[in-house]
Amino acid sequence: MNQKRRCGLSFAQKTLLWQRWKDGESLSDIGRSLGKHAASIHAIVRPHGGIMSIARKRSTRVLTLAEREEISRGLHADVSMRQIAASLGRSPSTISREVARHGGLKTYRAALADARAWDNARRPKRCRLAVHPKLCRLVARKLRLKWAPQQIAGWLKQQYPDDETMQVSHETIYRSLFIQARGVLKAELMKHLRTRRMMRRSKKASAKGQPRGQIIDAVSIRERPAEAEDRAVPGHREGDLLTGSNNTHIATLVERQSRFTILVKVKGKDTESVVSALSKQVRKLPAELRRSVTWDRGMELAQHMQFTFATGVQVYFCDPQSPWQRGTNENTNGLLRQYFPKGTSWLATRKAI
């Protein structure tokens, strides 16, 4: 019987984990500091939607342990409840209910009463969306229309100014999406958020210092020769990596002048697998048709220098978030998706087409 794996973090380590997450550190950095894999950190953060739980605090209005000890000593000395209440500055009814709730005059014990009161105070309040189904349905409908939670909250306040049961804050909407344990808004609605974010990230979070997206010695597309730009000379290509189901991947190479396309099946999306497969296929081309390749900022071609050494083909990289700089390849990928929709497995595909 398979047992669920546990991350094995102590309370102090989990506290440190959440503090680092709040400070904007990445899952990988947090994992390294705690000696755990990033997936283990994600398994803790994700169910909470990336939102750190607020530590429980005693209300200043409730009886303290010291006051309960005074009550216990007073009962033991046969002091009346009114006298005990007066000495503590509390209402006699407060003392009476306290004693009746926790054992009575003869069996009241301060420590046990305090522990029981703390435990009984756990009353998880259901959020407004869970209590009012009509409001929940309306919010879900607006989310499907691509409305932001802030827009929904503002619109509800204008539409139902006198009905608080039909108003909800944008923070409640976000939390109901990110924390799926609430069972209010379905996870599929998160894809309608403009950021499509699956959990909350700290405002301090940054990719600075992380290897993600940083390609060593990358040559900018701005340095690509003019002959590639005007498509006057054949041999200049644009490339990308398409992902299918079952962790299968295929690389596309489109010649800019003729639009001739080569599909190269790769073992994985790691840079070694991609560079090896591309090098093998490009070397089969005539020398005059091996001039350059323009790629996006994907780390699958991080070892571009090895590719250039093996094939003699210079690699140029697009600017971040600029897919139009590889417009021919993007258009070709769109056509390919008509025949191989997202979710299609590339397992039955030949090594090269």
Side-chain angles (χ1 to χ4, degrees):
M1 183 176 179
N2 294 329
Q3 293 184 346
K4 185 177 180 180
R5 295 181 62 185
R6 298 181 180 275
C7 65
L9 294 179
S10 64
F11 176 78
Q13 287 177 314
K14 287 183 178 180
T15 302
L16 179 60
L17 181 158
W18 280 109
Q19 186 57 52
R20 287 177 177 271
W21 178 256
K22 185 178 179 180
D23 290 340
E25 293 190 26
S26 67
L27 295 172
S28 298
D29 288 341
I30 298 172
R32 280 192 291 270
S33 68
L34 297 175
K36 297 291 182 180
H37 192 275
S40 298
I41 307 302
H42 183 269
I44 297 174
V45 175
R46 176 66 187 90
H48 297 278
I51 302 171
M52 181 172 62
S53 300
I54 300 174
R56 290 184 65 198
K57 294 181 180 179
R58 286 181 181 269
S59 171
T60 56
R61 295 177 297 176
V62 303
L63 292 169
T64 64
L65 177 59
E67 288 177 315
R68 287 189 167 97
E69 288 175 344
E70 286 296 323
I71 294 173
S72 181
R73 283 193 287 268
L75 293 176
H76 183 71
D78 291 329
V79 178
S80 70
M81 291 192 187
R82 287 189 175 274
Q83 289 178 306
I84 296 173
S87 65
L88 294 176
R90 296 280 187 174
S91 168
S93 62
T94 298
I95 306 304
S96 177
R97 285 195 300 268
E98 167 70 16
V99 174
R101 191 182 293 126
H102 300 294
L105 293 172
K106 294 184 178 180
T107 59
Y108 181 87
R109 296 292 182 271
L112 292 176
D114 190 73
R116 190 178 298 138
W118 175 253
D119 189 58
N120 290 341
R122 289 182 178 273
R123 296 193 185 101
K125 182 181 177 181
R126 300 179 71 195
C127 72
R128 184 165 292 182
L129 292 174
V131 177
H132 303 289
K134 180 181 176 182
L135 175 62
C136 184
R137 290 193 296 270
L138 183 55
V139 169
R141 186 160 63 247
K142 294 298 183 181
L143 285 171
R144 292 190 181 94
L145 294 175
K146 309 292 185 184
W147 282 36
Q150 289 88 341
Q151 289 177 300
I152 298 172
W155 179 81
L156 287 170
K157 195 171 183 180
Q158 289 183 346
Q159 290 293 115
Y160 306 96
D162 301 321
D163 187 357
E164 290 189 358
T165 64
M166 289 301 292
Q167 296 179 23
V168 66
S169 69
H170 67 273
E171 178 63 17
T172 298
I173 298 175
Y174 276 119
R175 285 177 177 262
S176 298
L177 286 170
F178 293 149
I179 307 175
Q180 283 297 298
R182 288 188 173 189
V184 179
L185 296 173
K186 294 182 179 179
E188 64 184 29
L189 293 172
M190 280 188 277
K191 68 182 181 182
H192 298 293
L193 294 176
R194 289 168 186 170
T195 61
R196 297 191 179 184
R197 188 172 295 154
M198 301 298 290
M199 60 183 179
R200 176 160 291 170
R201 291 290 281 129
S202 170
K203 291 182 179 180
K204 302 176 185 177
S206 170
K208 185 177 180 180
Q210 299 180 35
R212 182 184 307 164
Q214 298 178 4
I215 301 175
I216 300 174
D217 296 327
V219 182
S220 173
I221 189 175
R222 303 180 189 281
E223 299 182 34
R224 191 173 64 177
E227 65 180 31
E229 186 67 27
D230 59 19
R231 305 176 192 266
V233 179
H236 297 283
R237 289 177 163 77
E238 298 175 4
D240 195 13
L241 190 69
L242 295 181
T243 299
S245 62
N246 301 319
N247 197 29
T248 57
H249 311 274
I250 196 166
T252 61
L253 286 174
V254 185
E255 205 280 315
R256 282 176 57 80
Q257 187 188 65
S258 65
R259 275 64 167 183
F260 180 78
T261 303
I262 301 174
L263 306 183
V264 183
K265 188 177 179 180
V266 297
K267 294 180 180 179
K269 64 179 181 179
D270 60 285
T271 185
E272 292 183 5
S273 298
V274 175
V275 167
S276 175
L278 287 178
S279 299
K280 184 177 180 180
Q281 293 302 320
V282 171
R283 282 198 299 264
K284 296 178 180 179
L285 297 172
E288 60 271 17
L289 296 180
R290 285 186 279 159
R291 299 184 185 276
S292 74
V293 169
T294 302
W295 207 269
D296 62 10
R297 287 279 167 172
M299 292 300 290
E300 62 269 11
L301 219 63
Q303 295 181 1
H304 62 96
M305 297 183 70
Q306 293 185 19
F307 173 79
T308 300
F309 179 78
T311 62
V313 177
Q314 178 63 54
V315 180
Y316 299 95
F317 290 93
C318 297
D319 296 328
Q321 300 179 354
S322 304
W324 59 86
Q325 293 179 342
R326 302 171 14 265
T328 303
N329 188 223
E330 286 291 315
N331 182 57
T332 303
N333 290 346
L335 294 173
L336 287 170
R337 284 300 188 187
Q338 291 184 358
Y339 301 95
F340 303 100
K342 287 186 177 181
T344 300
S345 175
W346 302 103
L347 290 174
T349 309
R350 292 184 295 171
K351 290 186 177 180
I353 303 176

